[in-house]
Amino acid sequence: MDKLSRRTLLKASLAAGAGLCVPNLMQTSRAEEALPAPEEIAKERAAKYVFNFGSVYATENYLTTPHVHLQIKQIVEKSTNNKVYVKIHDKGARGSESQLANAVKYQAMQGGLLSIANLSPLVNEFDIINIPFWAADDASYLRLVGSHAWNKYILSKTAPHRIKILFHYVIGARTATTVRHYGKLIRSPEDFAGVQYRIPNSKTLGTFYKLAKAIPRAIPWNLTAATARAGRFDALDPAIVGLYSGPDNLKNEIGVISDIGLVHDGWVAISSTDFIESLDASTRTQFLDAFLAIQAAQFDAYQNARKYCEQEFAKLGVKIYAPSKQEHAALVHAFGHANEVWTPVKIALLGPNGPAVFDQLYKAAKG
């Protein structure tokens, strides 16, 4: 698996724009207590702007979920000299991820954390990331989302929706994971056949599972653990941190994890373009630059969370299997981007020149 050091990540982030030095906050890897309520109220009243940021994740679960809620609050407020006050609305208080996307689009919220799978129905082009086995590992994914090609062909498509991507989270690659009642290891193309698979809201991933002869099951994320307990599906595909931190103690329903590196289980932090444009010029620059530091802090949080989740899964008796090079090559050969089944998908998502555009994105991912 291609690895990316924190130093390399920070260098890449700073190359994208002006650097921001926040030495104490860049080291933040644990949750810290918020200021007492009266001080927070005073700080909000003194601020020129309020940035309401929604997330389905619980702030206190920072060890298993690298959402960096507190780093977003602390770094943005410090970077803007408290001109921007950040309110984190966690645990789905402002709706699910798809609801959050629309809330930001229509300015009911100023920002939010969502998965690419839940953004792709609004901006279809993002679903290109869900073609298997081309930009799944951390380094390839970060090269891709930081590239000129990604900005030109994907990020630019958010403009009509009045949404801006603040940064891409690193979460790790999607897996082939079976639940306890099924309990078999998936490591070859043949292992997918006939398996009832819980899938996210992605047409491209749906195409993959049909190609693999699995049986897709569209099950909401918040009902995944309950339906697993009821035996309504056999397998699911989140990254390791998502499997452990999933709602309703999903971790207790996991049987065997096969770390096949399917696609990157991407999340994004988004903001309303109208909110950004409402900021005065200096504050706008400070606000946007803050997310370079937040992205580096998030990569630290991700590495810590993945290690923690792996250790905790071991305590639960859950095996994490790493396919051999030969096994991975067989999966890529059967389902990878060169398969002709993906040509119409590339055209549908990227336009008439979709295959050529995809080649540019592929080259960007590989460096």
Side-chain angles (χ1 to χ4, degrees):
M1 188 69 69
D2 193 359
K3 295 186 182 296
L4 190 72
S5 70
R6 180 178 179 278
R7 179 177 296 178
T8 301
L9 170 69
L10 182 56
K11 182 178 179 182
S13 297
L14 295 179
L20 177 68
C21 183
V22 265
N24 293 329
L25 296 176
M26 288 286 290
Q27 304 301 322
T28 303
S29 60
R30 62 179 182 85
E32 296 179 14
E33 293 296 323
L35 290 172
E39 294 183 40
E40 284 292 319
I41 292 170
K43 190 164 62 167
E44 180 180 359
R45 286 175 176 170
K48 189 175 180 180
Y49 311 98
V50 177
F51 181 64
N52 289 286
F53 186 85
S55 169
V56 298
Y57 300 102
T59 298
E60 62 265 26
N61 292 344
Y62 65 95
L63 282 177
T64 60
T65 313
H67 48 56
V68 292
H69 291 170
L70 288 174
Q71 289 94 324
I72 290 171
K73 177 175 175 61
Q74 293 163 353
I75 293 176
V76 167
E77 289 178 355
K78 183 176 179 67
S79 301
T80 62
N81 300 310
N82 291 317
K83 284 186 178 180
V84 177
Y85 179 80
V86 179
K87 277 187 174 180
I88 303 293
H89 303 271
D90 67 349
K91 303 178 184 178
R94 294 298 178 94
S96 67
E97 290 188 348
S98 56
Q99 291 168 327
L100 272 177
N102 284 312
V104 173
K105 177 179 179 178
Y106 295 110
Q107 301 179 58
M109 292 282 286
Q110 288 73 52
L113 188 169
L114 12 153
S115 67
I116 283 180
N118 279 296
L119 185 60
S120 59
L122 191 64
V123 187
N124 294 335
E125 290 82 358
F126 276 99
D127 212 18
I128 199 70
I129 199 69
N130 288 319
I131 291 178
F133 304 119
W134 69 282
D137 66 85
D138 300 343
S140 294
Y141 182 69
L142 278 167
R143 281 193 293 265
L144 172 67
V145 300
S147 70
H148 172 74
W150 185 257
N151 185 66
K152 179 179 179 180
Y153 296 114
I154 310 299
L155 294 187
S156 64
K157 306 303 181 182
T158 65
H161 301 282
R162 304 300 290 166
I163 286 174
K164 180 176 177 61
I165 304 300
L166 296 171
F167 77 99
H168 291 75
Y169 284 74
V170 178
I171 298 301
R174 290 187 181 272
T175 61
T177 295
T178 56
V179 297
R180 286 190 182 277
H181 82 82
Y182 186 76
K184 298 178 183 179
L185 173 64
I186 296 175
R187 59 181 177 180
S188 71
E190 296 75 24
D191 293 336
F192 289 90
V195 176
Q196 296 189 72
Y197 240 97
R198 182 269 169 192
I199 65 169
N201 189 15
S202 163
K203 290 183 179 179
T204 301
L205 281 173
T207 299
F208 160 69
Y209 286 113
K210 290 176 183 176
L211 176 65
K213 299 180 181 179
I215 303 169
R217 297 284 187 236
I219 298 170
W221 183 231
N222 63 331
L223 298 179
T224 299
T227 50
R229 284 190 287 271
R232 289 182 53 195
F233 67 91
D234 306 319
L236 66 169
D237 67 6
I240 289 171
V241 296
L243 292 168
Y244 189 84
S245 61
D248 194 17
N249 287 313
L250 176 62
K251 60 181 179 287
N252 295 327
E253 309 307 319
I254 302 304
V256 183
I257 300 170
S258 186
D259 195 10
I260 63 171
L262 179 62
V263 303
H264 202 88
D265 191 3
W267 300 352
V268 288
I270 67 171
S271 177
S272 160
T273 304
D274 294 281
F275 172 76
I276 293 171
E277 291 177 353
S278 75
L279 304 174
D280 62 75
S282 62
T283 303
R284 186 184 310 132
T285 298
Q286 293 165 342
F287 177 82
L288 294 175
D289 283 354
F291 285 94
L292 299 174
I294 291 166
Q295 184 177 27
Q298 193 278 323
F299 190 72
D300 280 349
Y302 154 67
Q303 291 181 309
N304 292 334
R306 173 159 177 143
K307 184 182 297 184
Y308 181 87
C309 292
E310 289 174 346
Q311 292 170 346
E312 294 301 305
F313 267 132
K315 293 177 184 177
L316 292 172
V318 176
K319 181 180 179 181
I320 300 176
Y321 178 78
S324 68
K325 289 184 179 180
Q326 292 77 13
E327 288 169 336
H328 189 262
L331 291 167
V332 173
H333 178 74
F335 308 127
H337 69 91
N339 190 306
E340 283 302 314
V341 75
W342 298 118
T343 299
V345 174
K346 294 170 186 176
I347 292 171
L349 294 175
L350 301 174
N353 296 321
V357 172
F358 180 84
D359 286 346
Q360 293 183 51
L361 295 170
Y362 180 85
K363 290 175 182 176
K366 298 309 174 185

